[in-house]
Amino acid sequence: MQRVRMFEKWFDNLSIDETVDLIEESIKNGLKINIHTVNVDHLIIANKNKDFEEYMLNAEIVLADGMPIVWYSKLIKNPLKERVTGVDLSERLISESIKRNFKIFLLGGGAGVAEKCVEKMTEKYGNVNIVGTYCPSPEEISSPNKSDLIVNKINSSGANILLVALGAPKQELWIKRYKNKLNSNVNIGVGATFDFLSGNVKRANIILQRMGLEWFYRMLTDRDPKRLIKRYLINDSYFLVLCLKDIIKRIYK
């Protein structure tokens, strides 16, 4: 499997089709893997949060969930095949869950959102193999004893794929902490995915996505635009610094 080195991290050069095939193969072979779909915000968080960076470095599969990362890979003449977002990957897994025997558990997403996601995905694709949902409170996520009960709920469902929608870095750190207790073969932090798949939040059209302007659409349409303005225009501007550092290291390596 080809990999691309950027920002002192490895990215797997996989298309979404190849990723889904790899997930199916991992389940059939009884492997346990974490998949991290990395966007610009994740790179910024990793620069400050060493536990989160460790998760990124140790994840078995790391994918680019951000057009700026894909564009940068082209700039350094080692292009990634495509952007693979948590939303697109999750919907693909759900849509093919019956055919490929994916047993999917949805964790997080806000009160009632995961259930609405199941409803919408069933309307769109017919029978889907979502074996359980649960929306934990912040207290449950931070409590080892209560998190153990969540793990038991997931394991009892028979899930082989766990989608965790708690937001970064919380979702990745929870997966990191409980991976060895979980029976799921594949664990993926998926951020706001359930909001999109449930229809609670409208996603930018495909043209804006390909232009790398999905963040701009989200910023304009979010219920709390100040939160995303800070994230996208202030925090994520540090991505340019990361690119510059990476270029300098390539020149003087």
Side-chain angles (χ1 to χ4, degrees):
M1 181 168 56
Q2 185 185 359
R3 310 183 85 195
V4 177
R5 182 76 171 170
M6 297 182 290
F7 317 111
E8 299 186 327
K9 295 166 181 65
W10 287 106
F11 288 79
D12 294 287
N13 199 358
L14 296 169
S15 67
I16 192 169
D17 291 340
E18 291 168 334
T19 302
V20 174
D21 288 342
L22 183 60
I23 288 172
E24 183 178 29
E25 183 181 340
S26 297
I27 292 171
K28 287 180 178 178
N29 292 330
L31 302 179
K32 293 187 71 171
I33 65 172
N34 292 341
I35 297 178
H36 193 178
T37 58
V38 177
N39 59 32
V40 168
D41 194 52
H42 290 190
L43 289 174
I44 308 304
I45 294 171
N47 192 60
K48 301 175 182 178
N49 187 321
K50 295 305 174 186
D51 286 340
F52 184 74
E53 183 179 45
E54 183 183 345
Y55 175 89
M56 189 184 299
L57 292 171
N58 292 329
E60 284 76 11
I61 302 295
V62 177
L63 304 167
D65 179 353
M67 284 308 300
I69 300 173
V70 176
W71 290 334
Y72 183 74
S73 73
K74 294 178 180 179
L75 178 67
I76 62 173
K77 309 298 183 184
N78 202 352
L80 292 168
K81 293 176 181 177
E82 64 180 346
R83 175 191 184 205
V84 180
T85 72
V87 180
D88 293 331
L89 180 57
S90 296
E91 182 164 3
R92 184 70 171 276
L93 294 174
I94 291 170
S95 69
E96 299 191 15
S97 58
I98 294 291
K99 181 175 71 174
R100 297 187 187 241
N101 197 31
F102 295 152
K103 301 172 185 176
I104 302 170
F105 194 102
L106 309 183
L107 178 66
V113 176
E115 289 83 357
K116 189 174 179 183
C117 180
V118 176
E119 180 183 326
K120 289 292 183 180
M121 291 294 96
T122 302
E123 288 177 6
K124 188 171 183 178
Y125 297 109
N127 288 334
V128 293
N129 206 7
I130 298 176
V131 296
T133 66
Y134 188 65
C135 178
S137 67
E139 179 189 6
E140 288 175 288
I141 291 299
S142 61
S143 165
N145 290 335
K146 292 181 179 180
S147 281
D148 281 341
L149 295 177
I150 296 172
V151 169
N152 290 339
K153 185 184 291 288
I154 295 166
N155 290 344
S156 296
S157 74
N160 52 31
I161 296 176
L162 173 63
L163 305 181
V164 184
L166 300 173
K170 188 184 299 182
Q171 60 198 15
E172 287 80 15
L173 298 183
W174 193 89
I175 291 170
K176 178 174 179 281
R177 191 172 299 121
Y178 295 100
K179 178 184 178 182
N180 292 333
K181 292 185 176 182
L182 289 162
N183 292 340
S184 48
N185 298 96
V186 180
N187 307 305
I188 314 172
V190 296
T193 287
F194 301 168
D195 286 318
F196 291 116
L197 298 187
S198 67
N200 282 1
V201 176
K202 186 178 179 181
R203 195 175 180 192
N205 64 48
I206 192 66
I207 295 174
L208 289 177
Q209 291 177 41
R210 289 175 178 170
M211 290 174 63
L213 292 174
E214 191 166 9
W215 64 273
F216 186 68
Y217 178 85
R218 286 190 65 188
M219 190 174 65
L220 292 180
T221 58
D222 193 78
R223 288 186 293 267
D224 182 15
K226 289 183 180 179
R227 174 183 65 90
L228 292 183
I229 287 172
K230 181 181 178 182
R231 170 180 167 180
Y232 291 131
L233 298 185
I234 300 175
N235 296 345
D236 288 1
S237 63
Y238 191 73
F239 178 69
L240 297 175
V241 176
L242 295 180
C243 291
L244 182 59
K245 286 182 176 180
D246 193 65
I247 290 170
I248 292 171
K249 287 179 180 178
R250 291 175 187 279
I251 294 173
Y252 294 103
K253 67 178 179 179

